[in-house]
Amino acid sequence: MQAVKIVVTGPFASGKTQFIRTISEIEVVSTERRISTAAERAIKDQTTVAMDFGRITIDKDLVLYLFGTPGQRRFDFMWEILAEGMLGFIVMVDSTRPETFREARNILDTFRRYAQTPFVVAANKQDLEDAWDPEDLRIALRLDGRVKVLPCVATRRDSVKTVVLELLYSILEELSASQR
Amino acid sequence: MALKGNLRDFNTTQLLNLIHLARKTGTLTVESRNGTARLCFKDGKLIYAALDRQDGRLADVLIRAGKIRPEQLKAFDLTHLQDDKVLGLKLIEAGYVTQQDILNSLRAQMLDVVYRLFSWNEGVFRFEPDLQALQNRIPVPMDLENIIMEGARRLREVERLKEELPDLDIPVRLTSRPEAIRKVQLSTEEWRVISQVNGRNTIEQIMRRLNMDEIQIRRIIYGLLQAGLIELGAPPPATPPPGVPARGPGSGVSRSVVEKLINYFRRL
């Protein structure tokens, strides 16, 4: 049985755990703990401290693992471990919280250093009124036109599926280019 | 789609950069303890700016600029004072001002508002795709590149610069719109930096070559980035420990595996 992995990363409370939950065939193994700081507690009650883990069985020979990274910088020692051997990664951004965009950009740069693998940016929470348009997000994150910035609602299976598919298309393109 | 936030998280320079690059049309309103600023944009160009309710009216602008005296306005019907276009024509016809006086005064007033906005560190902003604030006013189109560069030059907070540009080990490349560089007025130091931008040199390498300090290079690169003249490249990969192969795309996964994944998700 071959196992491949995709990493879902992004700032605190950007929707990484929900993204994996929506598509995983197993109950996501979450290492969530109650939040200790008041500022973070105002946004959500629990956070991922080590990783989230989801699984999708493709066929009898292939399984896809989805790993979610903890969002806070104080757990960034976990990121490099999780990035090891990944096919590609998804950067989740909460489109309604511009205060997290700078952090999203820094996380993206960090992951690009760990591995030169394809990635896409998921502009999450697009169903909310205050969500920034994905193209505005592209400029705010200083991403060039080649980077895919995709509208996303992490609670919707179709939306999550589209984001994963777009990442897979990028991976396939990259493989084709490297074989030329 | 909303464009809301706080200048604390997304400052004026970044906002103008976004409006400029996305060629947006609409009104940006910023509310802070310093007052309320309203800026109108058309296709990514600034066309009107006012601070608080009265500040952008032509009569006030011309009086403040010393182009007319308040008593000269008494000869006009009150309704003329409400519509800047009508008032402007009447003032020109009366020989009090020229068209150039009006345009120059409005430009100076707009710049004054925007430059004041650069000093606001906090304030709730929202961008709406309508131009209602422009009603009865004269739009004067101004390119944003030079305004953004000036905003970056005025950014004095070192901590903020470090937050915006935390890593100097990143290559920079010229924009895909080289014509933008011809439009903008750059200082000698900014030109020296531009001359070193080739897609391979990192910010740190440019700093060393030009014998600049960290703050200086951060401020210049930040300004050039915000004005859309240069772009950040991909950060170089971390060097793997000896004997460990560098991790490339796909990590040794075959095409057929990825195609299998794609087929699975298409069917899902």
Side-chain angles (χ1 to χ4, degrees):
Chain A
M1 167 84 73
Q2 183 176 6
V4 289
K5 133 172 128 176
I6 286 175
V7 169
V8 183
T9 187
F12 169 71
S14 55
K16 303 177 288 293
T17 303
Q18 181 59 55
F19 185 93
I20 297 174
R21 255 185 206 144
T22 299
I23 207 158
S24 173
E25 69 188 16
I26 58 165
E27 188 64 33
V28 170
V29 182
S30 272
T31 47
E32 292 197 326
R33 289 287 176 272
R34 288 197 71 77
I35 286 166
S36 51
T37 70
E40 288 171 353
R41 205 163 39 233
I43 296 166
K44 62 177 189 175
D45 284 338
Q46 298 211 317
T47 192
T48 306
V49 290
M51 60 177 190
D52 289 320
F53 172 69
R55 188 186 70 199
I56 301 167
T57 306
I58 306 299
D59 60 23
K60 62 182 175 35
D61 300 318
L62 181 63
V63 62
L64 171 66
Y65 292 126
L66 294 164
F67 286 92
T69 66
Q72 297 99 324
R73 272 274 161 187
R74 60 182 181 274
F75 302 117
D76 65 2
F77 62 92
M78 287 296 300
W79 295 355
E80 190 163 10
I81 300 166
L82 291 174
E84 180 70 44
M86 64 184 170
L87 263 187
F89 62 99
I90 295 161
V91 184
M92 298 290 294
V93 185
D94 181 342
S95 312
T96 67
R97 291 177 57 220
E99 64 270 30
T100 66
F101 294 171
R102 193 183 297 132
E103 176 66 358
R105 171 79 215 188
N106 293 343
I107 291 173
L108 173 56
D109 283 345
T110 305
F111 268 81
R112 289 172 90 185
R113 280 185 195 283
Y114 292 152
Q116 305 288 296
T117 54
F119 67 93
V120 295
V121 175
N124 194 24
K125 308 190 188 179
Q126 286 290 313
D127 54 333
L128 301 184
E129 195 192 341
D130 284 351
W132 283 40
D133 186 276
E135 283 310 304
D136 290 343
L137 210 56
R138 175 193 301 287
I139 296 170
L141 296 178
R142 296 192 206 127
L143 299 169
D144 67 42
R146 289 166 296 184
V147 176
K148 291 177 183 171
V149 183
L150 307 159
C152 178
V153 180
T155 50
R156 291 186 197 152
R157 201 173 163 82
D158 259 15
S159 177
V160 171
K161 173 186 144 177
T162 304
V163 172
V164 176
L165 259 177
E166 286 297 333
L167 175 63
L168 290 168
Y169 293 141
S170 296
I171 294 167
L172 193 64
E173 262 175 47
E174 193 92 0
L175 281 174
S176 306
S178 64
Q179 283 163 7
R180 258 179 237 139
Chain B
M1 194 67 77
L3 193 61
K4 292 180 185 173
N6 194 306
L7 294 181
R8 196 176 48 226
D9 310 309
F10 204 72
N11 65 30
T12 304
T13 317
Q14 290 169 312
L15 264 175
L16 295 185
N17 171 43
L18 196 156
I19 290 164
H20 164 60
L21 291 180
R23 299 189 185 284
K24 283 188 180 293
T25 296
T27 303
L28 173 70
T29 307
V30 187
E31 287 168 356
S32 85
R33 58 192 162 82
N34 303 302
T36 300
R38 280 188 188 81
L39 285 78
C40 296
F41 301 88
K42 187 148 193 268
D43 300 329
K45 287 185 181 195
L46 179 67
I47 54 170
Y48 172 75
L51 196 58
D52 297 321
R53 194 166 287 274
Q54 298 295 321
D55 201 44
R57 292 168 59 154
L58 182 63
D60 298 336
V61 171
L62 290 174
I63 290 170
R64 267 203 311 276
K67 297 291 176 193
I68 57 169
R69 296 186 308 278
E71 55 269 27
Q72 288 175 315
L73 292 172
K74 286 180 185 157
F76 298 108
D77 184 338
L78 265 182
T79 51
H80 294 156
L81 299 177
Q82 299 303 315
D83 189 327
D84 283 353
K85 288 175 193 164
V86 177
L87 177 66
L89 268 176
K90 295 282 174 198
L91 288 170
I92 292 169
E93 282 167 8
Y96 293 155
V97 289
T98 64
Q99 181 171 310
Q100 209 51 46
D101 287 334
I102 291 177
L103 293 178
N104 289 345
S105 303
L106 286 172
R107 273 194 203 105
Q109 194 274 148
M110 284 158 67
L111 285 177
D112 182 51
V113 173
V114 182
Y115 291 161
R116 270 200 244 180
L117 206 53
F118 283 132
S119 67
W120 295 8
N121 296 322
E122 284 228 21
V124 177
F125 66 78
R126 63 177 186 279
F127 184 90
E128 279 148 331
D130 69 62
L131 293 171
Q132 273 187 2
L134 195 63
Q135 210 176 9
N136 296 334
R137 301 287 171 259
I138 300 172
V140 183
M142 289 179 79
D143 283 328
L144 282 177
E145 286 105 329
N146 284 313
I147 297 173
I148 293 168
M149 283 302 298
E150 185 55 31
R153 289 178 197 125
R154 286 170 186 230
L155 189 63
R156 289 284 173 264
E157 303 136 69
V158 175
E159 287 313 309
R160 185 84 189 232
L161 276 171
K162 283 187 178 168
E163 276 174 12
E164 295 301 337
L165 214 58
D167 193 353
L168 298 185
D169 189 24
I170 288 185
V172 275
R173 57 172 181 259
L174 287 176
T175 170
S176 42
R177 305 175 305 116
E179 74 280 2
I181 297 177
R182 282 198 293 273
K183 276 192 204 166
V184 80
Q185 288 162 2
L186 298 176
S187 69
T188 315
E189 293 298 278
E190 287 156 355
W191 271 118
R192 286 177 69 213
V193 171
I194 284 273
S195 71
Q196 294 290 323
V197 172
N198 59 10
R200 294 183 304 279
N201 288 340
T202 65
I203 301 170
E204 193 162 352
Q205 284 167 334
I206 295 173
M207 175 181 79
R208 292 209 176 125
R209 262 179 217 171
L210 300 179
N211 214 12
M212 288 182 165
D213 63 40
E214 247 191 70
I215 301 304
Q216 209 179 358
I217 193 77
R218 276 184 205 278
R219 186 167 289 134
I220 292 176
I221 292 285
Y222 178 70
L224 296 172
L225 276 172
Q226 295 304 330
L229 305 182
I230 61 170
E231 294 166 354
L232 291 180
T239 316
V244 177
R247 285 158 288 172
S251 291
V253 169
S254 70
R255 243 187 106 85
S256 63
V257 166
V258 180
E259 282 166 349
K260 214 186 254 187
L261 289 165
I262 288 173
N263 288 336
Y264 174 87
F265 278 100
R266 274 186 185 151
R267 288 196 307 270
L268 196 67

